[in-house]
């Protein structure tokens, strides 16, 4: 849950500042049972208590809540939990929208009654308290359970009560009951309204007529308070505005006839305000204005001091809610002006509504102009609104605000990480949130996101969760025995909602219209952002028939409408024959044949009939004819909802375009893309809004096809920026670019910039100056915008942050940037420019994911500590690594370092890029192809342990010697070499390759790193930590900086002895036996003083799932995920060294974005600056020998400070093993990663 980040204390003080206020006696008040809600129960309380309740209720009616609560506190403490007193307190808090307080009052009263042995289980006032508490918990907990049970209890009680026998307690129960009926759509979409709308008992009436009849009975009995209460929920069930206006006028007339018998000024005033809202919605603004004036005049006559009477606020609120503003900025200003009124800020109910409306208006302004300024304005108001909701305990509104407002704002800037985060945090904080319909909508939102980034496991997980939620939802209403025969769930456990029998436009109840999404969208929410669901094809096998495929939903609707069209003769027989695929279109077929064909169709068969298989789509002639029929029918047909018709038509055509894209039928693609874009102007506004995010994609597809046709017909014009064909395509791309920027859609903007760069690519390869300039300008801008879209993943935590980011940066278009740039740079004639350019682009290519996160962790960690609940992010472009950034590393290592990168781009051979300490950069193509390299890698990785012990393994590996051949001239013996491999080269012992017949590990100390950016980050971490420790040690005159933690369960006696010897050397105790636990390891890894971690034990690596890569401790496996989930460490507490002596501890998986995922990368991410690991399962005797030799230079743990070159220590240990056991299996396994100099 997002916490408050603004200083709202003044607002909250205004809301709660009534502790020092005493009651102010109303003017001309005679206590004659006028204002209370349960006056029939006053005989159960002393007259003095009743008098105070009346006084408090009057203050509540005029919204003088400070005086109301001060008066309630004067009630004798013995009656504080009396049900009548508790209910009136509940209503006071409810009117103020202090939901948590309202629920607490009822809970205390019910608990007190149970302890007092009161007869709470019998029908009566405790029934009222229970259903009221149920209604409160819908908002405070998102839990409908008590509401459901209360509804059933009320139904049983009132099932046989005649209308003219209702008491005020029963009317109050009925009020909560019907409000909850309207709210049931939050829980389920198959609520049995008919079963629950059987009360009140009025056999001659149906639906809202029963409620109208009850109100009329109350009016005839002179019980206008109860009549006004009935009106408040009756309006939600009346069929149209005219009926609502008649109901209001009826109560107004009754109030006018009552004179002073009851508080007619309040009842008539609120009724007139309600009438004004309905009149305004009907377009009668003049009469509405008159009713508002009458309402204000009446409410101003309340018997309290004028400065205390704030009843006018609700009228003002009603008036503004019913006002239609022509411009969102006008709406924003109007609500902002209302917020500035002091009276608003002391009424939390009004304040919450005003903040909600300001936030909605600010969002509309942001959607119209997605700028940084408008974004800041929106989040300022959104945080205020959420802080107030949290203060009031309104969990339900908080969830709805996040789902239907915050997500829209976040998607404007592609801040997908924030969407994931708020869902995860809300679920963690509210695990029992049970408003199933809303919860399913939230899960579907996440599913769309995971589909976008092709996270199949997450999609399957979400669908499984949705299925479980649906089963809970469908069983919810039949848990109590009294309903089992009356209610049959319509779709238990089925992901697809039941087919509706009618699609015609109908007026929905007011409550539902304000709190639920449009009917057309809620039915198709599963396909709102993913077209017809082609992206879900990969998940069909795993989910089977429960897959909520978009295609099925659209096709189901289309099929249902077609069947109706057949029955009602809306489409000609010839058109229907053609649509349904009956042979010989136009032949004299019998109608029964068409009907039979239609009845036998399924959505899948209809889809195949219309589109054909993907590998052989329907011919253009047939599709055009079919679509023309659909267009004539769906554009002008009036029976069905207009938005649904237009969305269906557009989606059918969009699916055709998606299908053609994979066929490369360029002429057909151009025709369908143009036709799809031309449809939009004739669609209704809602449908245009639905498709607005896809128009850029459609236009870009059109451009791609036109480029393809141009290159085939006139190759020279496809790259000549002066040709008409080239300019036409460029102009269309620029329209897409402008549209993307106006809408703030970062991914569309980045993609379009990349497409423009591709448009110039051929000319850039020919080194045409204008083309080269335009190419790199668009490439750079595209990369910057892609990086902006990456920013929001920073708000996540731990492994979720890493996993989601790595999926996001693997987006295929992003991955083409570096290879595309490299292909042009490689053609530069100047060798120095070519090498420098390639070095730069390689660093960019290798720093998209983990490296970038490691760069931002320090900065973001401090920001999140200051503002932990913040969802939105500020973009800060981090500069790419430069050659000069390596100078401090080289200098600290003695200025004898060479950095080596291998990189793959759009050529068959890898390039080898080297940078020496002197600053010289070389780039050459390796004399072997990637095809040859991959064959060697596959062969080597297939070797079993026995084969690794033979010379075959070394001979196989050394087929890759050409990869290091350029190092013979760019490096010197004894120089430290830093290897930054790519792809599966990360998994090989490249130090076992040879230069001029000498093993590299003999010639040079070798260090590995996934990228030089990662090396720079871990270098800075260790230097900061060493400086911090040096300062502290100087203060206490201590020179020994090594603080070691040793963990081990070596499988051999030599290994156990080596661990024990190391513990003695470092003057520490190894964590073994019962101490060899995940808890102790977590403690060690979060210790800010840690400088050395040594692990010697079992490691598990599963080739197919590196997420389970982990250290096998005594109690459980400590996985890669656990390491990533460790709390973030400040920079000055990072920098420790981790030796991980376990089988395959150094194995990893390299993603397509060049990120390396394994234990080594996890430890470097979590605060280590260097590691030692193993590339395959080893002989433990080798690990024991490695331990003894590697740590020789670490001193004896005394006071003398030591400087350790880990690269040389590793070289020494490896060569010592090779002397004893020369097979590659024994010595090639151990590698050092990260910054290799350690001072301790």
């Amino acid at each position: 849950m997002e916490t408050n980040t603004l200083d709202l204390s003044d607002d909250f003080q205004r809301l709660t500042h009534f502790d020092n206020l005493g009651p102010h006696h109303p003017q001309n008040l005679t206590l004659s049972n006028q204002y209370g809600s349960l006056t029939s129960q006053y005989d159960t309380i002393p007259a003095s208590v009743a008098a105070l309740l009346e006084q408090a209720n009057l203050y509540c009616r005029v919204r003088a809540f400070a005086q109301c609560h001060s008066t309630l506190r004067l009630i004798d403490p013995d009656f504080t939990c009396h049900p009548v007193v508790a209910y009136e307190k509940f209503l006071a808090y409810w009117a103020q929208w202090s939901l948590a307080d309202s629920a607490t009052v009822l809970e205390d009263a019910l608990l007190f009654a149970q302890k007092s042995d009161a007869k709470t289980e019998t029908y009566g006032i405790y029934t009222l308290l229970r259903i009221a508490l149920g209604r409160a918990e819908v908002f405070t907990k998102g839990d409908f359970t008590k509401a459901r049970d209360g509804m059933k209890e009320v139904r049983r009680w009132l099932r046989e009560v005649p209308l003219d026998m209702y008491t005020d307690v029963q009317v109050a129960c009925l009020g909560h009951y019907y409000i909850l009926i309207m709210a049931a759509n939050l829980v389920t979409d198959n609520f049995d309204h008919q079963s629950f709308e059987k009360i009140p008992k009025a056999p001659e009436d149906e639906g809202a007529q029963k409620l109208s009849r009850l109100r009329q009975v109350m009016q005839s009995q002179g019980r206008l308070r109860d009549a006004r209460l009935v009106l408040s929920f009756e309006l939600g069930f009346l069929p149209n505005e005219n009926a609502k206006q008649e109901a209001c006028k009826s109560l107004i007339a009754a109030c006018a006839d009552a004179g002073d018998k009851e508080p007619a000024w309040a009842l008539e005033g609120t009724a007139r305000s309600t009438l004004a809202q309905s009149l305004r919605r009907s377009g009668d603004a003049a009469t509405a204005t008159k009713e508002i004036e009458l309402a204000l005049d009446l409410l101003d006559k309340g018997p309290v001091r004028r400065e205390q009477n704030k009843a006018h606020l609700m009228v003002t609120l009603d008036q503004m809610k019913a006002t239609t503003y022509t411009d969102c900025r006008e709406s924003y200003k109007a609500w902002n002006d209302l917020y500035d009124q002091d009276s608003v800020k002391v009424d939390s109910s009004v304040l919450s509504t005003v903040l909600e409306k300001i936030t909605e208006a600010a969002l509309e302004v942001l959607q119209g102009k997605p700028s940084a300024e408008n974004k800041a304005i929106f989040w300022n108001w959104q945080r205020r609104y959420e802080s107030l909701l949290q203060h009031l305990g309104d969990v339900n509104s908080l969830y709805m605000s996040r789902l239907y407002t915050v997500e829209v704002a976040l998607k404007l800037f592609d801040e997908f990480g924030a969407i994931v985060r708020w869902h995860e945090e809300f679920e963690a904080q509210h695990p029992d949130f049970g408003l199933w319909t809303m919860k399913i909508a939230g899960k579907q939102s996440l599913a769309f996101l995971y589909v976008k980034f092709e996270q199949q496991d997450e999609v399957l997980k979400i669908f499984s969760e949705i299925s479980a939620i649906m089963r809970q939802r469908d069983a919810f209403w039949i848990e109590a025995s009294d309903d089992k025969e009356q209610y049959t769930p319509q779709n238990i456990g089925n992901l697809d909602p039941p087919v509706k029998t009618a699609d015609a436009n109908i007026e929905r109840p007011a409550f539902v219209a304000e709190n639920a999404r449009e009917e057309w969208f809620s039915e198709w929410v599963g396909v709102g952002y993913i077209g017809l669901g082609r992206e879900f094809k990969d998940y069909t096998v795993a989910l089977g028939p429960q897959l909520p495929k978009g295609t099925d939903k659209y096709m189901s609707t289309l099929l249902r409408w077609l069947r109706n069209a057949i029955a009602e003769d809306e489409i000609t027989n010839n058109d229907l024959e053609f649509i349904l695929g009956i042979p010989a279109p136009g032949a004299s077929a019998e109608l029964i044949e068409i009907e039979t064909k239609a009845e036998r169709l399924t959505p899948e068969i209809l889809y195949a009939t219309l589109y054909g298989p993907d590998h052989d789509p329907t011919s253009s002639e047939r599709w055009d004819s079919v679509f023309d029929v659909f267009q004539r029918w769906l554009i002008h047909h009036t029976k069905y909802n207009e938005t649904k018709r237009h969305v269906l038509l557009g989606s059918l055509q969009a699916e055709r375009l998606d299908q053609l894209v994979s066929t490369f039928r360029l002429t057909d693609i151009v025709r369908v893309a143009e036709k799809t874009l031309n449809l939009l102007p004739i669609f209704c506004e809602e449908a245009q809004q639905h498709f607005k995010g896809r128009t850029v994609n459609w236009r870009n597809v059109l451009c791609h096809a036109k480029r393809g046709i141009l290159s085939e017909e006139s190759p020279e014009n496809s790259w000549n920026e002066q040709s008409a064909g080239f300019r036409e395509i460029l102009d269309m791309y620029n329209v897409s670019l402008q549209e993307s920027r106006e809408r703030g859609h970062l991914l569309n903007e980045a993609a379009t910039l990349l497409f423009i760069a591709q448009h110039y690519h051929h000319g850039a390869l020919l080194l045409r100056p204008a083309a080269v300039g335009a190419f790199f300008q668009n490439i750079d801008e595209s990369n910057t915008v892609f990086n902006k879209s990456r920013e929001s993943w920073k708000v996540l935590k731990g492994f979720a942050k890493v996993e989601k980011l790595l999926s996001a940066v693997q987006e295929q278009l992003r991955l083409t940037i570096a290879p595309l740039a490299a292909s042009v740079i490689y053609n530069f004639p100047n060798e120095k420019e070519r090498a420098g350019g390639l070095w730069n682009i390689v660093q960019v290519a290798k720093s998209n994911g983990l490296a970038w996160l490691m760069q931002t962790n320090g900065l973001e960690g401090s920001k999140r500590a200051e503002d932990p609940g913040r969802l939105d992010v500020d973009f800060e472009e981090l500069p790419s690594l430069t050659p000069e950034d390596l100078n401090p590393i080289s200098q600290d290592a003695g200025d004898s370092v060479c950095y080596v990168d291998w990189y793959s781009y759009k050529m068959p051979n890898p390039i080898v890029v080297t940078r020496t300490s002197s600053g010289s950069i070389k780039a050459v193509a390796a004399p072997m192809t990637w095809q040859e390299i991959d064959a060697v890698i596959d062969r080597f990785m297939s070797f079993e342990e026995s084969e690794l012990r033979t010379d075959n393994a070394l001979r196989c590996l050394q087929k890759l010697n050409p990869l290091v051949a350029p190092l013979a001239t760019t490096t010197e013996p004894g120089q430290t070499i830093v290897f930054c491999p790519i792809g599966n080269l990360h998994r090989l012992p490249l130090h076992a390759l040879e230069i001029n017949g000498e093993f590299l590990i003999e010639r040079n100390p070798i260090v590995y790193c996934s990228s030089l950016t990662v090396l720079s980050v871990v270098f800075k971490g260790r230097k900061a930590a060493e400086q911090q420790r040096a300062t502290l040690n100087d203060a206490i005159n201590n020179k020994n900086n090594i603080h070691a933690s040793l963990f081990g369960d070596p499988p051999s006696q030599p290994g156990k002895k080596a661990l024990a010897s190391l513990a003695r050397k470092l003057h520490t105790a190894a964590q073994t036996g019962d101490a060899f636990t995940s808890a102790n390891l977590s403690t060690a890894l979060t210790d800010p003083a840690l400088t050395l971690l040594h692990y010697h034990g079992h490691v598990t690596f599963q080739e197919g799932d590196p997420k389970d890569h982990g250290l096998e401790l005594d109690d459980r496996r400590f996985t890669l995920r656990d390491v990533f989930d460790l709390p973030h460490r400040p920079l000055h507490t990072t920098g420790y060294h981790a030796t991980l002596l376990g089988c395959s501890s150094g194995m990893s998986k390299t993603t397509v974005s060049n990120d390396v995922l394994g234990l080594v990368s996890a430890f470097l991410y979590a605060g280590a600056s260097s590691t030692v690991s193993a590339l395959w399962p080893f002989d433990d005797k080798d690990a024991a020998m490695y331990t003894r030799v590697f740590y020789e230079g670490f001193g004896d743990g005394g006071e003398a400070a030591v400087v350790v070159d880990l690269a040389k220590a590793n070289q020494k240990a490896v060569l010592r093993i090779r002397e004893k056991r020369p097979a590659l299996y024994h010595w090639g396994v151990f590698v050092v990663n990260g910054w290799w100099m350690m001072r301790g």
Side-chain angles (χ1 to χ4, degrees), residues 833-852:
E833 288 184 359
R834 181 173 68 252
L838 288 172
W839 191 92
N840 288 330
I841 205 67
V842 167
Q843 307 317 313
V844 170
K846 291 186 176 183
S847 61
N848 273 322
L850 271 176
W852 173 76

Side-chain angles (χ1 to χ4, degrees), residues 354-382:
V354 171
L355 284 175
E356 178 188 16
K357 294 298 182 181
I358 294 177
T359 302
E360 290 175 354
L363 177 61
E364 289 187 48
V365 173
L366 180 62
Q367 288 177 293
K369 185 180 180 181
S371 66
E373 179 184 3
N374 288 337
K375 179 183 178 184
I377 291 171
F378 165 78
W379 280 106
N380 172 60
W381 289 113
Q382 179 65 29

Side-chain angles (χ1 to χ4, degrees), residues 684-946:
C684 65
E685 183 178 352
E686 290 82 2
Q688 290 184 37
Q689 286 292 107
H690 177 77
F691 289 118
K692 70 177 183 179
R694 304 184 68 187
T695 54
V696 169
N697 296 332
W698 293 336
R699 189 180 299 107
N700 287 345
V701 166
L702 174 61
C703 290
H704 299 340
K706 281 180 172 286
R707 277 174 51 199
I709 293 173
L710 183 63
S711 64
E712 290 177 357
E713 296 179 351
S714 180
E716 67 281 2
N717 287 328
S718 67
W719 51 263
N720 183 355
E721 59 270 16
Q722 301 302 320
S723 72
F726 186 98
R727 302 302 305 179
E728 178 195 5
I729 295 169
L730 183 62
D731 288 344
M732 285 194 292
Y733 276 134
N734 284 327
V735 171
S736 291
L737 183 59
Q738 181 180 356
E739 189 175 317
S740 299
R741 286 172 172 168
E742 288 175 352
R743 292 173 179 169
H745 198 300
L746 295 178
L747 290 179
N748 276 351
E749 180 185 353
T752 304
L753 284 164
L754 180 58
F755 297 149
I756 295 174
Q758 290 173 345
H759 196 39
Y760 282 104
H761 182 239
H762 192 93
L765 287 174
L766 298 175
L767 300 182
R768 294 169 61 93
V772 170
F775 171 81
F776 279 108
Q777 177 184 344
N778 285 282
I779 278 285
D780 289 344
E781 289 184 22
S782 177
N783 189 57
T784 298
V785 179
F786 268 126
N787 288 344
K788 286 183 180 181
S789 71
R790 175 182 63 180
E791 290 285 310
S792 79
W793 299 105
K794 293 187 298 189
V795 305
L796 298 179
K797 299 175 183 178
F799 185 68
K801 179 179 185 176
V802 173
E803 186 178 38
K804 303 300 186 297
L805 173 78
L806 293 186
S807 293
V809 299
Q810 290 178 47
E811 203 276 331
Q812 292 301 313
L813 286 176
R814 177 198 294 270
L815 297 179
T816 65
I817 289 179
L820 205 63
S823 66
V824 174
I825 293 171
Y826 196 78
N827 287 340
F828 284 3
N830 183 287
E831 182 179 349
K832 185 175 180 180
E833 288 184 359
R834 181 173 68 252
L838 288 172
W839 191 92
N840 288 330
I841 205 67
V842 167
Q843 307 317 313
V844 170
K846 291 186 176 183
S847 61
N848 273 322
L850 271 176
W852 173 76
L853 272 186
M854 292 172 68
Q855 284 180 288
T856 63
N857 270 348
L859 175 65
E860 287 300 309
S862 59
K863 284 187 176 182
R864 297 296 157 196
E866 296 170 4
D867 189 359
R870 186 175 179 185
L871 285 178
D872 60 312
V873 294
D874 298 321
F875 173 64
E876 295 185 58
E877 185 173 3
L878 294 171
S880 299
L881 189 76
T882 67
E884 291 70 30
D885 292 330
L886 298 179
N887 291 340
I889 301 176
S890 299
Q891 292 166 7
D892 207 64
D895 275 331
S896 184
V897 185
C898 182
Y899 306 91
V900 182
D901 274 290
W902 287 272
Y903 185 61
S904 169
Y905 71 113
K906 295 179 178 293
M907 289 183 70
N909 294 55
I911 55 174
V912 185
V913 185
T914 60
R915 196 266 188 189
T916 63
S917 299
S918 64
S920 172
I921 299 176
K922 302 289 184 182
V924 297
M928 67 184 307
T929 67
W930 276 112
Q931 185 177 2
E932 294 168 336
I933 294 169
D934 288 337
V936 174
I937 294 174
D938 291 342
R939 175 64 180 138
F940 186 84
M941 296 305 298
S942 69
F943 286 149
E944 300 291 339
E945 177 183 327
S946 58

